[in-house]
Amino acid sequence: MPAYMIYCMSAYCLTIWVLPLPRMFRKAKANIMHWLTGMAFGRNYIGDLVFRGSVGLYSGMATNFFYVVFRIFVGIRYASVWFLTIAIYYLLLAIMRLSLILSYRNRNMKSELRCYRRTAWLLFLLNIPMGGMIVLMVLTDSGYSYPGYVIYLSALYTFYTIILAIVNLVKFRKLGSPILSAAKVLNFVAALMSMLGLQTAMISQFSTEGENFRRLMNAITGGGVWFSVILIAVYMLLHSRKMKEVKSCEPLGK
């Protein structure tokens, strides 16, 4: 009986603690927005979607190059093929984002379409280290692991990046900038790989089904991600051809 009473009191205390959180979150968000709008960079970042996309290009490239250096160092330090494969994956992502940045600085519709098609072809190249990572996940039990409750935070962050990547795919496509659309495609591909990495960590942490189950699930999800990237690249090539045809027909319509 005392255990039930303590449980009810704990539930009541948790409810009282949680109820003010939405109001505190709204207040904190309002304060942050007020602080950001007080600066020119913050006003542009909040109010200008194109400017926000360009900032995302630079930040994404810098993050990828940082991961390349870190993974190469760790891979050499521990003689790990897994870490070196991840480094190659991030290196290609960084090069692709660098290509987008260089094209974006002196852009016109023709150069944007050319860069969009180039990104589609590079996605096929990116699938090589992605395939290597998937094979290592299936055959050698390589993957990600997180200590303690960090795995729950990682899961929340992964689902957040997936949702954000899908929203940005739709949002930035409406801008009509092929380069920014290609950048959001790269974010979506990276989010898919993060989801696959999270699966390996979840199976390692919680699964009791054994080795065959781990291999089966990693093979199914990894194969789905791998083929999804191919389909995305094919769609981008077809879509760029369609945009090129529409652009070439515009003067005739006038």
Side-chain angles (χ1 to χ4, degrees):
M1 191 64 186
Y4 288 105
M5 294 178 62
I6 293 173
Y7 178 82
C8 292
M9 292 175 63
S10 299
Y12 172 76
C13 292
L14 178 62
T15 303
I16 296 299
W17 184 80
V18 168
L19 284 177
L21 288 181
R23 185 178 61 183
M24 294 172 60
F25 177 78
R26 289 193 297 269
K27 185 176 179 180
K29 182 180 178 181
N31 291 335
I32 293 174
M33 294 291 288
H34 178 74
W35 177 70
L36 288 175
T37 52
M39 301 180 295
F41 178 86
R43 286 194 300 271
N44 291 331
Y45 189 83
I46 294 172
D48 190 344
L49 190 60
V50 175
F51 179 77
R52 193 186 314 166
S54 64
V55 172
L57 280 174
Y58 286 94
S59 60
M61 184 196 67
T63 302
N64 287 157
F65 274 120
F66 170 79
Y67 265 91
V68 170
V69 175
F70 173 72
R71 295 296 181 178
I72 289 177
F73 172 78
V74 175
I76 295 174
R77 173 67 176 80
Y78 295 101
S80 171
V81 177
W82 167 248
F83 285 125
L84 293 176
T85 306
I86 296 176
I88 296 173
Y89 162 73
Y90 279 113
L91 177 61
L92 285 176
L93 266 182
I95 292 174
M96 293 169 74
R97 287 195 164 102
L98 178 60
S99 172
L100 294 176
I101 289 173
L102 295 177
S103 299
Y104 189 77
R105 295 175 65 178
N106 299 299
R107 65 188 183 276
N108 53 60
M109 184 52 67
K110 185 177 180 180
S111 64
E112 287 207 35
L113 286 175
R114 186 165 55 247
C115 181
Y116 188 81
R117 287 193 300 271
R118 183 169 62 246
T119 303
W121 287 113
L122 287 174
L123 280 177
F124 291 109
L125 182 62
L126 183 67
N127 245 4
I128 296 176
M130 287 177 62
M133 292 171 64
I134 293 168
V135 169
L136 289 174
M137 288 177 182
V138 175
L139 298 182
T140 66
D141 197 23
S142 298
Y144 297 90
S145 60
Y146 302 99
Y149 292 101
V150 176
I151 191 170
Y152 299 106
L153 297 176
S154 177
L156 288 174
Y157 178 75
T158 300
F159 287 121
Y160 168 77
T161 56
I162 284 283
I163 295 172
L164 185 63
I166 294 173
V167 171
N168 283 335
L169 275 177
V170 177
K171 185 183 296 185
F172 279 84
R173 184 180 178 183
K174 296 178 180 179
L175 291 178
S177 172
I179 288 181
L180 294 181
S181 295
K184 299 311 169 184
V185 168
L186 294 184
N187 289 350
F188 180 68
V189 171
L192 289 179
M193 284 302 294
S194 296
M195 183 179 67
L196 177 59
L198 175 65
Q199 176 182 283
T200 63
M202 298 288 283
I203 291 176
S204 176
Q205 185 89 351
F206 301 111
S207 176
T208 59
E209 299 295 329
E211 186 73 10
N212 291 331
F213 175 78
R214 178 194 63 78
R215 290 186 174 182
L216 177 63
M217 293 304 299
N218 287 342
I220 292 174
T221 307
V225 171
W226 195 81
F227 281 109
S228 295
V229 175
I230 292 179
L231 292 176
I232 290 171
V234 171
Y235 169 80
M236 290 176 67
L237 291 173
L238 296 176
H239 186 60
S240 66
R241 181 181 300 177
K242 182 179 178 181
M243 288 190 294
K244 184 178 180 181
E245 291 175 354
V246 171
K247 183 178 180 298
S248 63
C249 292
E250 283 181 356
L252 297 178
K254 294 178 182 180

